[in-house]
Amino acid sequence: MSDRSPPERSPLETLSFFPPHDGTLWAFLESRQGPDPDRPFLIFNDVATSWRQFQGAVEQTVRMLRGRGVERGDRVAAMAANCADYVVLFFALARIGAILVPVNPDFGAGEAGYILAHAGVSGVVCAPASLPVVRRAAADEGLAVWFLVFGAAVDDVPGFSEVPDNAPPRAAPAAGTADDICLIMYTSGTTGFPKGVTHSQGNFVMAGEAFVERMHLQTQDRLLCILPLFHINGLFYSLGGAVAAGATLILAPRFSASGFWPLVSRSRATEVNIIAAIGTILARRPREEFVPGHGLVKVYGAPVTAEIAEVFIRDFGVHHVIEGYGMTEIPGACNLPFDGERRIGSMGVAARHPDPAVRFSELRVADDEGRDLPPGQVGELLVRTPIVMKGYYRDPDQTRAAFRDGWFLTGDLVRRDADGYHYFVARRKDIIRRRGENISGAELDRVVGAHPDVAQAAAIGVASDLGEEDILVAVVLKDGSRLTARDLQKWCATSLSSVKCPRYVAFLDALPQTPTFRVAKFKLKQDPDLRARAVDLTLLDEEG
């Protein structure tokens, strides 16, 4: 059990314990120093950094970035797994009024290059292993950018902590404002090209405060972050929540199934965020890996299956398992109440802010004409929240299309019961949800369809044993082709990151079409025998 001794505060009392601030990341950080600035804020690879030390690291990084010419409004990409300096970079850029552009380190040069070019980055900070990829991506796109690597210098590329000779002697006063964009996070869309979701510093701050309400965070909590910082969950909830509560963030480079419980025990974590695949994996792992006597008391997940909830509560002794729902565009829109009834299988009710005076998340279930539907009927979820994205970067048409009268159109079909609890039904958009990633079906259609032996291809999501979805690609071959599933597997592996590669390939004579001659993916999804007729590529891997 937890070793916490101070009495628990309400979420509002937790926020009110600290002085007010102006809504910027720098002021947010400064306000959380509290009476003990030498208490641990960030722990990475068992090395603790205090709040005072972290603030000093941010100031030094501001000097370093200024020496490299970074100014207000500039975009700087980060392509790496979780590390302490990733967090430092985020806060330093925000202090300047510059913008972080996270990039999945598993991306290839083509995927990364599109983001770097679209965002118009002036520099890239990456893991040493990602340096060849980002250099090729920049070269392919004709980008003139500077490079840094997290850690020590690599060849001619300086290390992140190296301050150039022309850096100012001290960090300049904070230039960012609460309304300044601090983040462009790319998420897949139905067009197949990732869209850059923009969020302000104020959005990040309020999302962190809302996570204090969602999980009743305390200053003495220790939040374990196993999800990547290039996702909204790890960045806005784990990091943002830890800062808002003045708590400790325990940052793991990545999720390890076998190492999860030893890490929880060693780090004395009290809270962790998961996705369905992680929860299912842990629920089905050998019980010898479990470490009794841990201090974990709270888990936030999206979604949470009945299996996950039962195993965490019954077998692992984690008493608070909270499900929620959000998107990159609308972080933390709804969740099961921490202090109310938790209906397993529900996304929950409209999310709240600790301060009841703050008008927060509002939810509607509407038909195609935007008319509200009564409880029990299925319709599209519409959300209005003060932390909605500021828009899609350099895409005003998509931004306008995402809203109706100030309400964000999620594209997700849900139903609401008489008590205001919401239940996910299906996705309207052509998005496949796999391992916490939103994957564009249209992008996969293009990649597979580009093979010279493929006449037509359509990617859909099918139910996964681990929760969420696996990818199935239905393929029509050109006449005379002898293309095999193994051939397609190799083709995809050269163009897509591993999470986007299909698990199943189904060879069909024709694909179903709509009256306007588009592929009717909903008919593919309704075929009960399609997966059984498909080739499971994981079995090919096992057979060698």
Side-chain angles (χ1 to χ4, degrees):
M1 297 297 294
S2 171
D3 61 358
R4 297 179 301 180
S5 54
E8 287 203 355
R9 302 185 181 102
S10 71
L12 182 56
E13 288 172 336
T14 295
L15 296 189
S16 301
F17 177 75
F18 300 100
H21 54 81
D22 64 7
T24 64
L25 265 68
W26 179 250
F28 191 36
L29 180 68
E30 276 195 313
S31 71
R32 265 46 186 176
Q33 299 295 311
D36 182 15
D38 293 317
R39 72 191 189 282
F41 162 55
L42 179 63
I43 299 174
F44 178 71
N45 285 343
D46 297 327
V47 176
T49 301
S50 72
W51 288 83
R52 191 197 308 271
Q53 290 170 330
F54 183 81
Q55 187 173 351
V58 171
E59 290 179 324
Q60 176 175 312
T61 302
V62 169
R63 293 179 55 229
M64 179 271 289
L65 293 171
R66 290 285 197 190
R68 301 195 180 280
V70 177
E71 301 291 343
R72 182 188 179 111
D74 286 351
R75 281 80 61 203
V76 174
M79 187 170 176
N82 293 352
C83 64
D85 283 340
Y86 201 124
V87 184
V88 172
L89 175 65
F90 179 48
F91 278 87
L93 288 170
R95 176 165 177 176
I96 297 171
I99 300 166
L100 176 70
V101 182
V103 182
N104 187 334
D106 291 333
F107 278 177
E111 295 164 303
Y114 174 82
I115 293 175
L116 301 182
H118 188 268
V121 302
S122 59
V124 181
V125 188
C126 66
S130 296
L131 184 57
V133 174
V134 296
R135 276 182 151 165
R136 178 183 167 192
D140 290 348
E141 296 290 342
L143 303 176
V145 298
W146 50 261
F147 299 101
L148 292 175
V149 290
F150 288 116
V154 175
D155 298 329
D156 59 332
V157 178
F160 178 75
S161 298
E162 296 182 23
V163 179
D165 295 337
N166 64 336
R170 60 181 61 86
T177 71
D179 291 330
D180 281 346
I181 300 302
C182 67
L183 179 74
I184 304 176
M185 187 166 283
Y186 280 79
T187 182
S188 292
T190 55
T191 62
F193 292 99
K195 294 179 290 188
V197 177
T198 60
H199 278 289
S200 68
Q201 298 195 33
N203 278 13
F204 177 85
V205 170
M206 188 173 285
E209 293 175 345
F211 199 69
V212 172
E213 169 70 33
R214 191 174 312 146
M215 300 305 292
H216 279 218
L217 296 180
Q218 306 292 306
T219 301
Q220 59 268 24
D221 266 323
R222 298 168 68 87
L223 284 70
L224 173 59
C225 180
I226 56 175
L227 298 178
L229 292 176
F230 56 81
H231 275 188
I232 205 79
N233 192 315
L235 198 62
F236 273 45
Y237 304 162
S238 294
L239 173 57
V243 178
T248 299
L249 180 71
I250 303 157
L251 189 63
R254 62 189 59 81
F255 167 66
S256 165
S258 61
F260 177 80
W261 287 112
L263 176 59
V264 166
S265 178
R266 183 176 69 253
S267 66
R268 296 179 289 118
T270 61
E271 194 275 347
V272 69
N273 295 357
I274 62 173
I275 58 175
I278 289 177
T280 303
I281 288 170
L282 292 173
R284 299 177 185 179
R285 293 287 294 185
R287 288 298 183 266
E288 310 88 76
E289 295 176 354
F290 176 66
V291 180
H294 62 81
L296 194 65
V297 295
K298 294 178 276 196
V299 171
Y300 174 75
V304 174
T305 65
E307 177 191 17
I308 293 171
E310 180 180 0
V311 169
F312 268 85
I313 295 170
R314 182 196 64 201
D315 296 355
F316 299 154
V318 180
H319 303 301
H320 302 289
V321 180
I322 306 296
E323 177 170 352
Y325 168 90
M327 300 172 63
T328 305
E329 295 90 336
I330 46 166
C334 63
N335 55 266
L336 292 175
F338 193 91
D339 52 0
E341 183 181 356
R342 300 171 192 169
R343 300 183 181 179
I344 301 302
S346 169
M347 299 153 46
V349 298
R352 302 179 304 187
H353 187 272
D355 186 348
V358 175
R359 188 175 182 179
F360 205 61
S361 182
E362 300 173 78
L363 310 178
R364 293 172 53 205
V365 180
D367 63 15
D368 291 344
E369 282 71 46
R371 296 172 298 203
D372 290 336
L373 294 172
Q377 290 196 21
V378 175
E380 183 176 6
L381 179 65
L382 278 57
V383 178
R384 185 162 61 188
T385 170
I387 55 173
V388 67
M389 69 167 181
K390 300 305 178 183
Y392 293 119
Y393 188 62
R394 294 174 55 191
D395 201 338
D397 292 339
Q398 287 284 351
T399 300
R400 282 191 294 270
F403 292 89
R404 179 189 294 144
D405 299 327
W407 292 81
F408 180 77
L409 308 175
T410 67
D412 287 334
L413 301 177
V414 305
R415 62 178 176 84
R416 182 186 64 249
D417 67 20
D419 298 318
Y421 284 73
H422 295 74
Y423 299 81
F424 179 81
V425 176
R427 297 184 187 278
R428 173 171 288 176
K429 300 175 182 178
D430 185 16
I431 292 292
I432 301 167
R433 183 73 173 176
R434 188 186 193 197
R435 301 178 197 165
E437 289 268 8
N438 285 333
I439 299 167
S440 166
E443 178 185 18
L444 303 184
D445 298 347
R446 280 205 322 272
V447 171
V448 178
H451 193 286
D453 286 327
V454 172
Q456 200 172 20
I460 61 172
V462 295
S464 168
D465 294 337
L466 295 178
E468 297 185 335
E469 297 173 306
D470 281 319
I471 299 169
L472 183 151
V473 177
V475 177
V476 177
L477 297 177
K478 294 181 179 178
D479 291 341
S481 170
R482 296 184 179 180
L483 190 73
T484 66
R486 174 74 80 184
D487 296 331
L488 268 182
Q489 182 184 42
K490 294 177 180 178
W491 174 266
C492 291
T494 62
S495 304
L496 297 168
S497 52
S498 60
V499 73
K500 295 181 182 180
C501 289
R503 174 175 178 177
Y504 301 100
V505 175
F507 292 104
L508 306 180
D509 294 330
L511 299 181
Q513 293 184 331
T514 68
T516 56
F517 303 104
R518 297 179 181 273
V519 177
K521 289 192 175 184
F522 69 94
K523 292 184 178 180
L524 289 173
K525 293 181 179 182
Q526 292 170 352
D527 185 341
D529 302 318
L530 184 61
R531 185 165 66 169
R533 302 199 311 270
V535 178
D536 186 341
L537 298 177
T538 62
L539 299 181
L540 294 183
D541 292 337
E542 292 173 2
E543 295 168 0

